[in-house]
Amino acid sequence: QVQLVESGGGLAQPGGSLRLSCAASGFTFSSATMRWYRQAPGKEREWVAAISVSATTTTYKDSVKGRFTISRDNAKNTVYLQMNKLKPEDTAVYYCNAAYGMDYWGQGIQVTVSS
């Protein structure tokens, strides 16, 4: 049974940082491209960042480039999203996604950026 469990969300001030983690199980993590998505209130879910199976390639949505960093630890079956210089417009529910034959999703975790 595939499981993706996000953690590390919460409240941050503008300019602050948060680190999201996504612990994976039930599939061969090292063979899956991993992505982070987010969905703000009233908006569609959007892609944020992706990392290749060997972590050699990372890609980002333009609005987070230079502020967010995606990484993975294949020994721990975990993908991370380090979010720096947070802005109020980063407020959203963040979802971990695994592309492994089909798409698998975590339950999502709230990130709120507010003073």
Side-chain angles (χ1 to χ4, degrees):
Q1 180 183 359
V2 173
Q3 282 194 315
L4 298 170
V5 180
E6 299 99 338
S7 61
L11 176 65
Q13 292 191 339
S17 298
L18 285 173
R19 187 195 196 203
L20 303 183
S21 299
C22 173
S25 61
F27 66 102
T28 306
F29 179 79
S30 59
S31 297
T33 296
M34 298 299 297
R35 298 180 178 91
W36 286 96
Y37 286 75
R38 67 186 182 187
Q39 187 167 19
K43 295 187 177 181
E44 292 189 352
R45 190 173 299 187
E46 63 179 9
W47 168 77
V48 175
I51 187 166
S52 62
V53 297
S54 58
T56 53
T57 302
T58 57
T59 51
Y60 298 92
K61 177 180 175 63
D62 284 348
S63 62
V64 308
K65 281 182 183 177
R67 301 189 298 121
F68 290 12
T69 303
I70 188 171
S71 61
R72 66 190 295 161
D73 186 336
N74 287 345
K76 295 183 178 180
N77 288 357
T78 301
V79 62
Y80 305 96
L81 186 67
Q82 177 67 46
M83 305 185 293
N84 299 329
K85 301 179 182 178
L86 283 163
K87 303 177 180 180
E89 51 263 43
D90 295 318
T91 295
V93 176
Y94 283 71
Y95 296 89
C96 175
N97 167 271
Y100 187 74
M102 58 178 286
D103 279 333
Y104 296 96
W105 296 90
Q107 80 285 355
I109 192 161
Q110 179 69 47
V111 170
T112 302
V113 184
S114 174
S115 55

